[in-house]
Amino acid sequence: MRQCDCLLLLADGHATPDATGTALPTVSPHVPQHLLLMQQGAPPPGRTRLWRETFPALAAHHHLRGDEDVARLARRLSGKAMGLVLSGGGARGFAHIGVVRALREAGIHIDYVGGASIGAVIGAGIAADWPHEHLVETYRRCFIDTNPVSDWTMPLVSLRKGSKVSRLLRQAFGDRDIEDLPLPFFAVSSNLTAGALHVHELGTLWQALRASCAIPGVLPPVFKDGQVLVDGGVIDNLPVAEMRSRMAGEIIACDVGGSYRLETVIEETELPSLWQMFFQWYGPVRRRRPSLAQILLRAGMVNSDATVGRRRRQTALLLKPPLPGIDLLEWREFHRAIDMGYQYTLRQVGGPKDTLNYETPYIAL
């Protein structure tokens, strides 16, 4: 034991841990201890947290459901894992679903997932090991059947209440903890109290996602443990460095927000009168300004653009799917964004090609 480089602790993931009846071997504190939880199906919600609380010295835990998880463990331990980092970008983030489908078809195994804002929301489904059809159906139900940011309120803290987003996230992911996900996962939010990036890798999943996508001014912050948490994209919209600090291997990053530009042909320093604006909206020559929500969402992302530039150099593969005509709040472009992400990634990594027409509505495959 004194000579080992790593200690693996095997346990039944469905059992209740009992530290009093378990004699752990004594090893150097510098030797990482990995808990291997044998699972039959999905891990029971909240059970992994009990295991981690019972054995606080763990470097990591792993859910083993079958051969694929054993292979993932081998890659993690040998420094040959593959991490996937997904950026924020509003409705443009639906392209992540198509990107992941193409990566899977190309035989690229994802071992760790992290993301910011909509990238965290999509990434949680990937870390839950949902198949493509389930990803499409779940997020279609959350974003197309109902507009998640349509619950307007008095703009004391934000334009929307945020209750619909919380309800939809809870419906999609239940009360499971982040550590219950089959694949290791983290989401990032911006801590306005500490002025630093906050990494969520333990605790209730839906709450972490709610904090990660709390667009300042659009959705209310998450107030937790005396901290004020908002959208992770405010500080780091592509958290590659956080992934690099958690695993050895290669990283694939998908950036759907860096190429977005908020443009207008109007030149002015103050708003005209209401009747003039009405004429500009509905007159023969229409002049539209960016909406308040668009301005707030873009303003929350632009500060991290320089950081994203540095993060790109830390990736083995940077994917930047072109998404012309898809705005940050264009939820109805759900299917077209998936198609564009899928086709773009196929061209980058190879694999079977589907002929899809971007001009026609996407049919879930």
Side-chain angles (χ1 to χ4, degrees):
M1 283 302 205
R2 289 193 298 270
Q3 304 300 321
C4 73
D5 298 310
C6 181
L7 182 63
L8 305 183
L9 308 173
L10 187 63
D12 180 356
H14 288 257
T16 301
D18 181 9
T20 61
T22 304
L24 291 182
T26 301
V27 295
S28 166
H30 302 292
V31 174
Q33 299 182 27
H34 293 252
L35 177 64
L36 313 184
L37 294 174
M38 301 292 291
Q39 305 287 2
Q40 296 293 328
R47 188 61 54 82
T48 311
R49 173 163 38 90
L50 296 178
W51 280 100
R52 292 196 63 105
E53 290 174 351
T54 303
F55 303 107
L58 293 174
H61 68 273
H62 309 265
H63 297 290
L64 303 183
R65 302 161 298 167
D67 292 344
E68 290 188 8
D69 291 329
V70 174
R72 180 175 295 112
L73 170 65
R75 290 191 294 270
R76 287 284 306 279
L77 295 178
S78 61
K80 298 179 180 179
M82 178 65 73
L84 176 67
V85 179
L86 305 177
S87 79
R92 297 164 64 88
F94 298 142
H96 293 317
I97 301 175
V99 167
V100 170
R101 179 193 171 195
L103 293 177
R104 288 171 171 174
E105 290 181 356
I108 297 175
H109 299 283
I110 299 169
D111 302 312
Y112 213 127
V113 185
S117 196
I118 188 67
V121 176
I122 302 297
I126 299 165
D129 211 12
W130 291 347
H132 176 73
E133 295 78 8
H134 190 49
L135 285 170
V136 172
E137 176 59 25
T138 299
Y139 294 119
R140 181 197 61 79
R141 187 170 61 250
C142 291
F143 291 97
I144 304 302
D145 290 355
T146 178
N147 185 344
V149 291
S150 61
D151 51 348
W152 292 84
T153 186
M154 289 289 291
L156 301 177
V157 177
S158 62
L159 297 175
R160 274 77 163 183
K161 291 176 61 178
S163 58
K164 289 187 69 175
V165 173
S166 298
R167 175 173 54 82
L168 291 169
L169 289 174
R170 193 162 187 170
Q171 287 178 354
F173 296 101
D175 290 325
R176 76 176 75 186
D177 293 329
I178 296 175
E179 50 266 47
D180 291 327
L181 292 170
L183 274 67
F185 171 77
F186 69 85
V188 297
S189 64
S190 299
N191 189 325
L192 299 186
T193 304
L197 195 69
H198 186 96
V199 182
H200 304 262
E201 50 190 345
L202 300 172
T204 306
L205 176 59
W206 76 265
Q207 291 182 350
L209 299 179
R210 172 65 181 78
S212 186
C213 65
I215 307 164
V218 178
L219 293 173
V222 170
F223 306 108
K224 185 174 177 60
D225 299 329
Q227 310 294 305
V228 180
L229 306 176
V230 299
D231 195 300
V234 173
I235 292 180
D236 192 350
N237 202 41
L238 193 67
V240 174
E242 298 301 327
M243 179 66 77
R244 173 55 63 210
S245 68
R246 284 162 173 77
M247 53 148 271
E250 296 186 334
I251 297 174
I252 296 175
C254 182
D255 181 13
V256 297
S259 61
Y260 177 78
R261 295 293 178 266
L262 194 61
E263 299 177 344
T264 180
V265 297
I266 296 177
E267 296 187 19
E268 62 187 17
T269 56
E270 60 275 328
L271 290 176
S273 64
L274 185 59
W275 72 267
Q276 289 176 318
M277 293 179 64
F278 183 85
F279 182 76
Q280 291 176 358
W281 288 337
Y282 299 103
V285 180
R286 298 187 177 184
R287 303 172 64 194
R288 292 190 176 274
R289 296 165 180 78
S291 69
L292 177 57
Q294 288 176 310
I295 294 172
L296 291 172
L297 182 54
R298 178 56 180 156
M301 294 166 49
V302 72
N303 187 50
S304 69
D305 279 358
T307 302
V308 168
R310 293 192 296 270
R311 300 293 184 255
R312 289 170 181 160
R313 294 190 289 271
Q314 302 178 28
T315 63
L317 175 63
L318 174 65
L319 300 172
K320 294 183 62 179
L323 302 166
I326 300 181
D327 201 80
L328 299 175
L329 297 173
E330 290 287 347
W331 309 117
R332 293 291 174 180
E333 297 289 356
F334 176 79
H335 297 306
R336 194 162 72 98
I338 293 175
D339 289 346
M340 289 181 173
Y342 176 64
Q343 293 291 346
Y344 167 82
T345 307
L346 284 181
R347 293 192 293 270
Q348 303 303 311
V349 302
K353 304 294 189 295
D354 282 0
T355 301
L356 300 177
N357 185 352
Y358 295 163
E359 303 301 322
T360 59
Y362 174 85
I363 305 299
L365 300 178

